[in-house]
Amino acid sequence: MLRPIQGIFRASEYPNLLVGLDEPDDAAVWQIDEEKAIVITTDFFTPVVDDPYDYGAIAAANSLSDVYAMGGSPFLALNIAALPPDLPADILTEILRGGAEKVHEAGVVIAGGHTIQDKEPKYGLVVVGLVNPRKFFRKSGAKPGDYLILTKPLGFGTTTTALKRGLAKEEHLQEAVIWMKTLNRKASEIAQQVGLTTATDITGYSLLGHAWEIASLSAVGLRLHFEAIPFTEGAKEYAAQFIFPGGAFDNRLYFQEHVRFDPRLTENEQMLLFDPQTSGGLLFAASPEQRKAFEHKAKITQQPYWVIGEVTSSGLIEVD
Ligand code: CO
Ligand code: CO
């Protein structure tokens, strides 16, 4: 989608643009001086849950996540909303309140925004943050022997699709909602403290799609251990009924050529790894020493994490 833009803005003419046109990452990075760079991103989407407050909070956590995935500290945000003219005022208020309270929790301020009318609601943020131009996270840089660390379980796509079909249990939905509303802030801060440099967040392209971005941009392979990958309570239940959003099938079509599954993994289990996530966790590559330091700080601060595999030199993603 960026190709026609790349023809107009040539990267060589914008030396301050450290991340943007040539190798897009989770957010764009613009260097201000030796110590400071601006990180900027935007994201918005249609409702993933019925509760308007939760929808707003999830959309905000998701928009902030791309700054955390760059190792940045967000400080400023703008609302972007498209809302049906006949939407009751209290629902609109709840969406914006859910977003605003999440942004406030992140220590960020909403300074304005723009709303238009549209048939289907859409909500999200523009987020601006600061990052050290020498230390931010990229999708590249993973090395064979590194460990892969994930900070939220998977299963949000299958669970919210079950909700849309009237098949989701309330406790399963609530578990997914709590995770989707959780900021990736603490995980990002720990990763910054222990010097990690390879990271992304797990969103629409699924674990395997985003893992493949790391593998291809780092020119490495990855080995994932299915038993080590965390899932929400309901995920395997809905996967067993083959309830997946359309995006999961798109992801499989697009990424499966880079993936080798152990034949004992069922199609449902494989599909869970192609399941698109909303406001998913961060995925890091960490050397053995960095892994130790990360685990130590994560335990002290009660940051959930799972070591789900290793970096290899195979040029593929192997799942066993
Ligand atoms: Co991202
Ligand atoms: Co994004």
Side-chain angles (χ1 to χ4, degrees), residues 50-290:
D50 295 333
D51 184 280
Y53 182 91
D54 286 342
Y55 165 47
I58 291 166
N62 179 77
S63 297
L64 289 158
S65 176
D66 275 324
V67 172
Y68 296 130
M70 298 303 286
S73 307
F75 64 92
L76 193 62
L78 303 173
N79 275 331
I80 305 175
L83 300 161
D86 54 356
L87 192 75
D90 56 329
I91 292 186
L92 161 77
T93 307
E94 281 299 277
I95 294 172
L96 298 179
R97 193 172 69 88
E101 289 195 349
K102 186 52 64 179
V103 167
H104 188 257
E105 178 194 327
V108 175
V109 58
I110 295 179
H114 188 65
T115 304
I116 60 162
Q117 293 190 350
D118 199 355
K119 278 198 211 84
E120 199 175 8
K122 294 164 194 81
Y123 174 66
L125 303 170
V126 174
V127 184
V128 184
L130 287 172
V131 77
N132 184 319
R134 291 183 304 274
K135 288 187 188 165
F136 61 86
F137 305 163
R138 294 189 194 249
K139 293 178 181 177
S140 54
K143 292 180 195 66
D146 285 353
Y147 288 97
L148 297 167
I149 301 173
L150 180 66
T151 64
K152 287 186 190 179
L154 307 177
F156 310 157
T158 178
T159 302
T160 54
T161 303
L163 170 73
K164 286 188 179 124
R165 298 185 193 168
L167 297 167
K169 290 184 187 149
E170 184 58 29
E171 70 264 28
H172 292 162
L173 179 67
Q174 279 320 311
E175 185 194 10
V177 165
I178 287 168
W179 280 112
M180 289 189 284
K181 287 201 289 189
T182 301
L183 292 171
N184 282 329
R185 178 187 192 175
K186 190 160 61 175
S188 174
E189 286 172 356
I190 295 171
Q192 291 168 51
Q193 287 160 15
V194 305
L196 301 191
T197 52
T198 304
T200 193
D201 57 345
I202 307 302
T203 53
Y205 291 155
S206 74
L207 174 66
L208 288 174
H210 291 289
W212 176 247
E213 292 180 318
I214 287 185
S216 55
L217 289 168
S218 304
V220 296
L222 306 175
R223 188 178 298 114
L224 306 179
H225 306 298
F226 189 81
E227 291 305 316
I229 298 172
F231 297 98
T232 58
E233 224 21 73
K236 286 187 180 170
E237 197 175 313
Y238 303 127
Q241 301 169 62
F242 216 64
I243 299 169
F244 292 105
F249 299 94
D250 296 342
N251 286 337
R252 180 168 69 176
L253 199 64
Y254 198 74
F255 295 110
Q256 64 183 353
E257 63 174 300
H258 307 295
V259 183
R260 299 289 176 273
F261 288 105
D262 184 301
R264 83 189 152 74
L265 292 175
T266 65
E267 189 186 4
N268 299 351
E269 289 171 331
Q270 297 178 18
M271 282 301 291
L272 273 173
L273 306 184
F274 289 117
D275 187 38
Q277 305 297 291
T278 298
S279 192
L282 296 178
L283 179 66
F284 298 111
S287 70
E289 301 75 44
Q290 289 170 334

Side-chain angles (χ1 to χ4, degrees), residues 26 41-43 66 203:
D26 289 296
T41 179
T42 182
D43 211 340
D66 275 324
T203 53

